[in-house]
Amino acid sequence: MSAPRWMPARVAEAVPSTAHARVLRLAVPGWPGNLPGQHLDVRLTAEDGYQAERSYSIASSGPGELVELAVDEVVDGEVSHYLVRVVEPGDAMEVKGPLGAYFVWDAGDPSPVQLVAGGSGIVPLLAMLRARVAGGVGGPFRLLYSVRSAADAMYRDEIDALASGDIEVTWAYTRAAPDGWGGRVGRLGPTEVAAATWPPDQKPLTYVCGPTGFVEAAADALVAAGHDPLRVRTERFGGR
Ligand SMILES: Cc1cc2nc3c(=O)[nH]c(=O)nc-3n(C[C@H](O)[C@H](O)[C@H](O)COP(=O)(O)OP(=O)(O)OC[C@H]3O[C@@H](n4cnc5c(N)ncnc54)[C@H](O)[C@@H]3O)c2cc1C
């Protein structure tokens, strides 16, 4: 297979996801398709020739030339600000991908799957959930999704709809809980992670994604609880 090359892309749709995040659907002629969990690189070029490149996970998977990204604005962030606040349908950029062979879900694997997301870390995990629901194959899925508040949750309606099906969803709120929430508010610790995830004896395949500090804390908690480190796959988005 040839190495991915830069390909021209055009914004087909830009839809608000939260007050600080947008879902972008890019039309990429010749896109070869991607597996659930893969990412791509975006390259922006200014009129004066200045270029910036960043990685973004892909919320869609399978064949097709429409590629879905979801970008959360990072405070003072250069590229995320542009993608969330500035870019409009019709605008051009370049993408390179699909990238990443490790953080992918294989629908042929019957293992229980545990997804653990912090903030925008939901994006590649949503691709796995969508593939699981669309294909109707694979093992049972659980999602633990940590957000600052309900309003900060990307894809909230879609995830609520999945939770009413056969996907088990646990929300965690670090700053403010919705009205009527009886649970705790705060960052996930080992107790919360253990309570909301498959026990180690179920031998789940676990995917953890989000800001670096979140991923390290969640993965450490899982390994300390007895999970095989080789079955805890992580993807770090940067930041703290
Ligand atoms: C494989 C991969 C997949 C990714 N997928 C997504 C995705 O699906 N959606 C998404 O929104 N982002 C994703 N990211 C993060 C993304 O690549 C950028 O890092 C992010 O958009 C910030 O870029 P920026 O140019 O706005 O910020 P920059 O100008 O590069 O950085 C500004 C400041 O923000 C800090 N920072 C950088 N990234 C983050 C972060 N993620 N969280 C908190 N602080 C940060 C930096 O340390 C710096 O201080 C992914 C990263 C990787 C490596």
Side-chain angles (χ1 to χ4, degrees), residues 22-23 33 56 59 126 136 141 143 145 171 192 210 218 233:
R22 270 211 301 195
V23 170
Y56 290 97
L126 184 75
F141 266 54
L143 168 67
Y145 187 10
W171 292 97
E192 293 76 37
R233 299 187 183 181

Side-chain angles (χ1 to χ4, degrees), residues 39 54-57 70-72 74-81 120 123-124 211 235-240:
H39 64 278
R54 298 289 184 278
S55 299
Y56 290 97
S57 296
V71 181
D72 200 15
V74 165
V75 177
D76 298 329
E78 182 187 3
V79 171
S80 61
H81 171 79
S120 56
V123 181
E235 182 113 285
R236 293 163 174 77
F237 277 7
R240 285 175 290 131

Side-chain angles (χ1 to χ4, degrees), residues 44-148:
L44 304 172
T45 306
E47 279 176 16
D48 65 2
Y50 170 76
Q51 290 189 318
E53 289 175 24
R54 298 289 184 278
S55 299
Y56 290 97
S57 296
I58 308 169
S60 49
S61 65
E65 297 186 339
L66 205 56
V67 177
E68 183 174 315
L69 310 181
V71 181
D72 200 15
E73 188 177 18
V74 165
V75 177
D76 298 329
E78 182 187 3
V79 171
S80 61
H81 171 79
Y82 178 80
L83 295 176
V84 173
R85 305 287 174 198
V86 182
V87 82
E88 292 300 341
D91 287 352
M93 60 186 74
E94 292 170 285
V95 300
K96 184 167 69 181
L99 302 171
Y102 168 73
F103 200 78
V104 298
W105 175 63
D106 171 7
D109 188 335
S111 307
V113 172
Q114 178 68 55
L115 308 176
V116 183
S120 56
I122 190 64
V123 181
L125 307 186
L126 184 75
M128 298 176 195
L129 285 165
R130 286 173 165 176
R132 166 72 176 74
V133 170
V137 291
F141 266 54
R142 282 183 177 174
L143 168 67
L144 169 59
Y145 187 10
S146 174
V147 290
R148 289 192 195 113

Side-chain angles (χ1 to χ4, degrees), residues 111-197:
S111 307
V113 172
Q114 178 68 55
L115 308 176
V116 183
S120 56
I122 190 64
V123 181
L125 307 186
L126 184 75
M128 298 176 195
L129 285 165
R130 286 173 165 176
R132 166 72 176 74
V133 170
V137 291
F141 266 54
R142 282 183 177 174
L143 168 67
L144 169 59
Y145 187 10
S146 174
V147 290
R148 289 192 195 113
S149 73
D152 293 302
M154 298 166 85
Y155 294 107
R156 185 154 59 120
D157 291 347
E158 186 171 343
I159 290 165
D160 278 341
L162 289 170
S164 61
D166 66 346
I167 310 283
E168 215 179 299
V169 176
T170 304
W171 292 97
Y173 299 100
T174 60
R175 299 210 185 145
D179 288 345
W181 174 257
R184 166 185 173 277
V185 173
R187 289 196 168 192
L188 290 174
T191 312
E192 293 76 37
V193 171
T197 54

